Amino acid sequence: MPEHEVVEHDVLVIGAGGAGLSAAVAASAAGVKVGVVTKSLLGKAHTVMAEGGVAAAMANVDERDSWKVHFADTMRGGQYLNNWRMAEIHAREAPDRVKELEAWGALFDRTRDGRILQRNFGGHRYPRLAHVGDRTGLEMIRTLQDHGIHQGIDFHMEHTILTLLKDGDRVCGAFGYDRERGRFKLFRASAVVLATGGIGRAFLITSNSWEYTGDGIALAYHAGATMLDMEFVQFHPTGMIWPPSVRGILVTEGVRGEGGILVNSAGRRFMFDDIPDNYRSSTADNEEEGWRYVTGDKNARRPPELLTRDHVARCIRREVREGRGSPHGGVFLDISWIKAKVPNAPEHIKKKLPSMYHQFKQLGDIDITKEAMEVGPTTHYMMGGIKVDAESQMSDVAGLFAAGECAAGLHGANRLGGNSLSDLLVFGQRAGKFAADYARQNPARTFPRDQADDAARRALLPLERQGSAEGPYAIQHSLQSRMQDLVGIVRREEEMLAALDEIAALKHRAATVGVPGNREYNNGWHTALDLDSLLTVSELITRAAIERKESRGGHFREDYPDKSPDWGKYNIVIRKGAAGEPEVSRVPVQPLPAELQQVIEENK
Amino acid sequence: MAEAVFRIWRGTAAGGQFVEYRTEATTGMVVLDAVHKIQAEQANDLSVRWNCKAGKCGSCSAEINGKPRLMCMTRLNELPLEKPVTVQPMQAFPIIRDLVTDVSWNFEVKRKIRKFSPRAADAPDGTWRMAQADVDRVQEFRKCIECFLCQDVCHVLREHKYFDTFIGPRYFVYAAALEMQPIDKENRLSDLRDPHNIGYCNIGKCCTNVCPEEIKITDNAIIPLKERVVDEFYDPLRMLFRVFK
Ligand SMILES: Cc1cc2nc3c(=O)[nH]c(=O)nc-3n(C[C@H](O)[C@H](O)[C@H](O)COP(=O)(O)OP(=O)(O)OC[C@H]3O[C@@H](n4cnc5c(N)ncnc54)[C@H](O)[C@@H]3O)c2cc1C
Ligand code: SF4
Ligand code: SF4
Ligand code: FES
């Protein structure tokens, strides 16, 4: 192997979404040398797509809100499998992080008295989401990006990390290639922060982009870190379903937060038909009360459309299965009906949901101010991922940190909308800060060349086979459709066992994948290299899902349709065994301290 | 819909040519779908940037039938499919490969614009009070998805190649967002005049016409900035000279 180009940083951040940028800014503020690697250009990470808002109990709109209520909402949404300490830190620190964004130039929508406006969202008791129309993620990533470029951080855009480097038990850098020229690069670092986002590309119908191949989870897993809650994948209830080319693209929950209703082909608001017991006391039982809630009546309870995502997604699936779906296999989401309630409704809708208006108009020939949208569930978010320490975000591997969607713990079995953007800010910053401390106290000294050479050799194989072998797109597509069918929104043991066989077969196919062309900006080669992570996370999701023999949050088992109190006592963890096989085990959920138990009781 | 023909530019900085591909056009398809279909079935190594497929990230900029557009927001049913659809990379920037161009210059330019710098907080808890109306005005500019289509079409960059002395419409929008930010206290007018040379812009509105976010780049960002610059440094002769330089 020829010499690889070497780059040196104290802290290497992998990912430039909200979590990665927050980590980089914090690490750099702590005075260490920071580098950021990202597969895309700066500002294009998934965070840019977030629409609805960022959850933080600032109590600007409803003074009854507090970190305690936010904490209790998050725990209930997560069905009490959350890491309570992360949920507590998150609820306590989110308001300050949002205010910090404002100090860095973000402009949120305002209340009448000029403070940050907050909107309703599913599972949040009070209006809690700071937002900018329906493009909150763009505001957030741009603010962090524009702040970050003046902090002396080195950005390596369009670089992909292939493997983490380890010196004994600790991490000491990472190895990857630049997409433009296909040259390998060795990043030496005393601490590494993974902020690589989610896994949506493992499924066929998803709101996620090509980047979401679960790289961070796979990198950490192969480096020996522990994975947590891998069975919990969030299927967002409302994705676009027609025309076929837009299938999966997200329709923000903000539509329902602004008064949008779900109806079946018979015109019935079916969400009133099935309200889970633990939400009954806080959910409206008639349409009038639901409307009063979305228009800010503090005495009203929320409409059932704003129940948690896992529940709404399953209700939609039920309607479709029982023959009450819309023409293209979804249900109707209607915001246009508010014209019966608000003067000048079309203008109001365009103002509140500009990008949804645009998206449907341009891609679906639908004017949402006049007609209902057709929507159905789409793979959206990964609750599970790398197990981290609540305070520092360090994984089980020394020097390896993780934050944002690729880390696990905060959301338990189901994430509430808006709790991701706040997660990125709170734990991104913590990861950056603690990584900087770690790097200063434990400088890495040895950088094993052989690990890099090995990764480089493997990475070049698809190009050596050229176009004569099977291409990467066919393999990726097979995997996505198998995962969608067998490990999707409704799961059964036999199907998941079949999925494991399929994944094993796909691993063989992936081991002989070939790509035409050379190393320069070759999307085919990039896709081939991402297969490894996709297959790894697919297997981990499936194994954890087989293990959990109950239904809870994002994980629904047709063969075990009920929640089991017994399973509520365990999280599932997976580690790579000595022989390279995943070792699945249960660990007891950490018991809540009495004060926090009290907080939960008070907010039931 | 039936089969459609795409002429996609393939090549590198060293040169290239249009290559013809035939693919099926189905209901609702956008140009990016067709490019992906061709990539998956006929040309695995075809290079293209994209992320969101919903007009939110500004990655998939290209020139479709000669017009700078987002591939993910260009529906096939708005193009004349009886003729081949040409897809080529943005012409103002150096080619990397196929549809991918080197837009790194844009990221460097941004660093040269004075950063946001807020006035002291309005409230003891470190927060500010702002009116929605003041925020609205700036939010138009903050919608920018950094697709760089406006940069691609601006003749000062595209034809005259003044990359060293002109920041382009995207960064006038950026500067306008900062200048009109309700709590920012920095002044960027002197920089805008020189070295950013807002005077080179002849307000022809080509940039506004291609902006997928429908930002009124010229009317709402550039013209007000020019007015402010003129108010601060009244120098009409020099400005006239610069436009025709
Ligand atoms: C359409 C949509 C709408 C959403 N709306 C909301 C909302 O309203 N509120 C909310 O709270 N959440 C929302 N979410 C969820 C939220 O946006 C994401 O969970 C969050 O942005 C993830 O941020 P992140 O920083 O963890 O990762 P990302 O922003 O995805 O960034 C990942 C980064 O890692 C890089 N990367 C990945 N792998 C590698 C590798 N191998 N080498 C180098 N770099 C790598 C990528 O290039 C990228 O820069 C939404 C999600 C979607 C898809
Ligand atoms: S109006 Fe000015 S900035 Fe816009 S394209 Fe024309 S010259 Fe360029
Ligand atoms: S101003 Fe418009 S055209 Fe220019 S980069 Fe921004 S979104 Fe694109
Ligand atoms: S892919 Fe994001 S704008 Fe086209």
Side-chain angles (χ1 to χ4, degrees):
Chain A
M1 275 278 148
E3 284 298 312
H4 308 298
E5 187 185 339
V6 175
V7 193
E8 259 176 86
H9 303 290
D10 298 315
V11 172
L12 180 72
V13 179
I14 305 176
L21 291 172
S22 296
V25 167
S28 158
V32 300
K33 217 170 145 270
V34 182
V36 174
V37 199
T38 154
K39 290 210 272 192
S40 293
L41 297 169
L42 210 47
K44 311 295 181 196
H46 233 77
T47 301
V48 80
M49 285 168 241
E51 295 162 352
V54 41
M58 294 184 289
N60 286 356
V61 170
D62 194 318
E63 64 290 348
R64 291 172 297 179
D65 203 7
S66 70
W67 75 264
K68 291 182 177 173
V69 190
H70 192 184
F71 166 78
D73 287 350
T74 302
M75 294 295 292
R76 177 172 41 192
Q79 311 243 356
Y80 305 103
L81 288 188
N82 325 51
N83 175 316
W84 62 264
R85 180 61 182 144
M86 281 177 83
E88 182 191 5
I89 291 174
H90 169 254
R92 282 181 188 268
E93 295 181 3
D96 281 346
R97 296 290 82 77
V98 171
K99 289 175 196 163
E100 196 162 66
L101 278 187
E102 187 155 276
W104 294 342
L107 284 176
F108 294 99
D109 285 347
R110 317 307 294 183
T111 60
R112 253 185 259 276
D113 63 350
R115 293 182 301 162
I116 295 174
L117 181 62
Q118 301 184 268
R119 71 156 48 122
N120 286 313
F121 236 56
H124 293 281
R125 172 157 301 187
Y126 301 118
R128 189 176 286 146
L129 270 68
H131 61 277
V132 187
D134 53 7
R135 53 160 198 85
T136 313
L138 170 61
E139 188 67 20
M140 198 167 117
I141 199 167
R142 199 67 83 229
T143 302
L144 290 166
Q145 171 190 351
D146 295 351
H147 182 72
I149 57 174
H150 296 287
Q151 307 303 310
I153 299 164
D154 287 331
F155 289 100
H156 307 274
M157 296 198 289
E158 299 200 307
H159 280 66
T160 302
I161 295 300
L162 291 167
T163 189
L164 296 173
L165 302 176
K166 281 183 75 185
D167 175 16
D169 287 337
R170 66 166 292 169
V171 78
C172 61
F175 181 73
Y177 61 97
D178 79 285
R179 301 169 72 85
E180 181 176 333
R181 298 270 166 253
R183 287 169 304 207
F184 292 117
K185 234 182 231 183
L186 198 154
F187 299 86
R188 293 180 171 180
S190 301
V192 173
V193 179
L194 291 167
T196 54
I199 55 93
R201 281 278 136 186
F203 294 83
L204 199 58
I205 301 175
T206 176
S207 63
N208 294 177
S209 86
W210 65 268
E211 288 199 294
Y212 263 22
T213 48
D215 298 6
I217 293 174
L219 290 169
Y221 170 75
H222 292 304
T226 306
M227 303 300 121
L228 172 72
D229 294 340
M230 290 297 290
E231 68 276 32
F232 295 118
V233 177
Q234 180 168 78
F235 298 92
H236 194 289
T238 60
M240 289 177 85
I241 56 172
W242 190 258
S245 68
V246 299
R247 190 159 191 143
I249 294 179
L250 194 77
V251 181
T252 175
E253 191 168 313
V255 175
R256 284 168 283 143
E258 297 296 340
I261 56 173
L262 289 166
V263 288
N264 63 20
S265 58
R268 181 170 173 79
R269 265 180 90 173
F270 58 87
M271 287 308 301
F272 278 107
D273 298 343
D274 179 6
I275 298 170
D277 287 339
N278 57 339
Y279 282 98
R280 198 173 297 279
S281 62
S282 55
T283 306
D285 54 16
N286 65 81
E287 303 193 2
E288 198 48 44
E289 183 178 0
W291 172 250
R292 282 197 281 115
Y293 177 86
V294 297
T295 50
D297 180 342
K298 292 182 181 168
N299 298 316
R301 294 169 299 173
R302 81 185 80 146
E305 275 85 0
L306 290 178
L307 285 164
T308 53
R309 290 177 175 175
D310 52 327
H311 180 73
V312 180
R314 277 194 298 275
C315 289
I316 292 177
R317 189 172 178 277
R318 177 195 68 216
E319 292 303 305
V320 175
R321 284 256 287 227
E322 294 175 8
R324 296 185 296 271
S326 65
H328 301 103
V331 294
F332 297 103
L333 171 62
D334 190 10
I335 180 79
S336 70
W337 80 277
I338 67 168
K339 57 184 175 272
K341 298 278 186 186
V342 249
N344 217 354
E347 287 320 305
H348 176 81
I349 294 168
K350 281 186 221 170
K351 169 95 211 325
K352 289 289 183 186
L353 302 161
S355 64
M356 282 303 108
Y357 173 76
H358 201 63
Q359 183 174 312
F360 273 90
K361 188 95 187 152
Q362 212 153 339
L363 297 175
D365 296 321
I366 297 268
D367 180 344
I368 66 167
T369 68
K370 298 208 179 79
E371 347 163 36
M373 305 157 239
E374 267 188 82
V375 295
T378 180
T379 315
H380 185 56
Y381 185 85
M382 183 61 181
M383 271 76 72
I386 304 158
K387 182 168 173 285
V388 290
D389 171 64
E391 311 289 330
S392 68
Q393 299 292 105
M394 190 156 91
S395 72
D396 288 352
V397 173
L400 181 63
F401 297 75
E405 191 169 341
C406 68
L410 170 61
H411 309 293
N414 178 49
R415 170 180 74 97
L416 298 185
N419 267 2
S420 169
L421 292 185
S422 42
D423 170 9
L424 311 182
L425 297 173
V426 169
F427 294 107
Q429 181 176 95
R430 278 181 169 259
K433 189 168 153 288
F434 284 94
D437 287 351
Y438 181 90
R440 237 198 312 254
Q441 286 156 19
N442 308 278
R445 296 205 173 80
T446 328
F447 306 95
R449 179 59 207 268
D450 54 322
Q451 294 172 20
D453 286 348
D454 188 43
R457 250 190 308 273
R458 274 185 288 129
L460 290 174
L461 292 174
L463 286 171
E464 283 161 15
R465 291 184 206 108
Q466 279 289 313
S468 58
E470 185 181 23
Y473 296 97
I475 300 175
Q476 192 195 53
H477 190 269
S478 305
L479 175 67
Q480 291 166 338
S481 67
R482 299 329 287 146
M483 287 299 285
Q484 182 79 34
D485 290 346
L486 303 176
V487 200
I489 185 165
V490 172
R491 299 166 170 172
R492 287 213 323 261
E493 182 112 5
E494 320 81 84
E495 290 187 346
M496 290 191 286
L497 290 171
L500 284 182
D501 292 340
E502 302 262 2
I503 292 168
L506 283 161
K507 279 189 183 167
H508 282 291
R509 278 165 71 185
T512 57
V513 64
V515 196
N518 59 29
R519 284 158 73 168
E520 288 178 20
Y521 218 108
N522 185 339
N523 284 169
W525 185 43
H526 303 161
T527 306
L529 295 180
D530 289 345
L531 284 176
D532 222 29
S533 312
L534 268 185
L535 285 160
T536 302
V537 293
S538 297
E539 177 175 358
L540 300 184
I541 291 168
T542 310
R543 289 198 186 272
I546 290 172
E547 180 75 7
R548 184 171 287 280
K549 294 182 177 36
E550 65 154 353
S551 293
R552 183 184 295 267
H555 173 69
F556 185 79
R557 293 274 307 246
E558 209 163 48
D559 42 2
Y560 299 94
D562 299 317
K563 197 154 53 173
S564 127
D566 209 35
W567 268 105
K569 297 183 191 134
Y570 299 100
N571 291 104
I572 292 173
V573 296
I574 310 184
R575 244 178 247 110
K576 190 169 173 175
E581 279 298 298
E583 282 173 3
V584 182
S585 55
R586 302 178 199 183
V587 294
V589 172
Q590 292 171 4
L592 273 165
E595 324 77 90
L596 290 178
Q597 190 60 50
Q598 179 73 22
V599 168
I600 287 176
E601 295 306 325
E602 281 162 9
N603 289 288
K604 269 246 158 84
Chain B
M1 263 193 250
E3 198 180 62
V5 181
F6 289 83
R7 296 182 67 230
I8 301 179
W9 195 87
R10 303 287 318 260
T12 61
Q17 71 284 318
F18 284 99
V19 178
E20 230 174 70
Y21 300 94
R22 284 164 193 280
T23 191
E24 205 196 338
T26 54
T27 318
M29 236 163 119
V30 294
V31 171
L32 184 63
D33 292 322
V35 170
H36 276 155
K37 207 163 143 60
I38 290 163
Q39 184 187 54
E41 294 166 2
Q42 308 174 41
N44 276 192
D45 60 343
L46 172 61
S47 309
V48 56
R49 276 197 189 105
W50 71 283
N51 278 69
C52 68
K53 218 171 135 352
K56 294 194 167 81
C57 72
S59 301
C60 66
S61 307
E63 297 187 8
I64 300 166
N65 287 347
K67 264 188 74 180
R69 307 182 69 164
L70 296 177
M71 285 184 271
C72 72
M73 295 304 274
T74 307
R75 293 273 297 266
L76 292 187
N77 64 4
E78 32 169 308
L79 300 171
L81 290 186
E82 58 288 356
K83 290 186 296 191
V85 177
T86 61
V87 188
Q88 60 184 333
M90 288 192 283
Q91 299 295 295
F93 302 111
I95 296 285
I96 292 179
R97 219 176 86 138
D98 301 344
L99 300 176
V100 177
T101 53
D102 180 355
V103 291
S104 54
W105 170 79
N106 291 284
F107 293 90
E108 284 152 31
V109 170
K110 190 182 244 185
R111 284 176 115 115
K112 295 184 188 145
I113 295 169
R114 283 168 201 266
K115 64 179 188 194
F116 170 72
S117 150
R119 67 174 186 235
D122 300 338
D125 66 350
T127 60
W128 288 267
R129 299 290 174 267
M130 296 176 228
Q132 183 68 39
D134 294 334
V135 167
D136 279 344
R137 194 162 56 137
V138 187
Q139 281 179 346
E140 175 185 4
F141 308 137
R142 307 263 316 167
K143 281 197 308 193
C144 170
I145 56 175
E146 302 200 330
C147 65
F148 308 129
L149 288 170
C150 56
Q151 307 286 73
D152 180 43
V153 83
C154 175
H155 68 104
V156 183
L157 298 170
R158 191 179 175 111
E159 270 112 55
H160 303 294
K161 309 260 177 249
Y162 288 169
F163 288 97
D164 293 334
T165 50
F166 185 68
I167 59 175
R170 157 60 189 138
Y171 294 103
F172 294 130
V173 169
Y174 181 65
L178 286 165
E179 284 296 289
M180 300 179 203
Q181 220 285 1
I183 62 173
D184 176 77
K185 60 179 173 44
E186 183 62 83
N187 184 329
R188 298 167 189 82
L189 296 178
S190 165
D191 285 357
L192 280 168
R193 191 178 67 147
D194 179 38
H196 301 332
N197 289 305
I198 193 169
Y200 291 1
C201 162
N202 64 1
I203 45 180
K205 297 201 187 182
C206 302
C207 50
T208 304
N209 293 336
V210 298
C211 177
E213 285 293 311
E214 297 176 3
I215 300 169
K216 300 243 173 356
I217 303 175
T218 24
D219 290 359
N220 293 350
I222 299 180
I223 293 174
L225 285 181
K226 275 179 177 263
E227 283 168 359
R228 289 183 188 198
V229 169
V230 170
D231 284 350
E232 198 148 308
F233 314 93
Y234 187 59
D235 193 358
L237 260 180
R238 180 151 168 218
M239 289 204 26
L240 209 64
F241 173 72
R242 279 166 178 262
V243 171
F244 294 109
K245 196 162 114 179

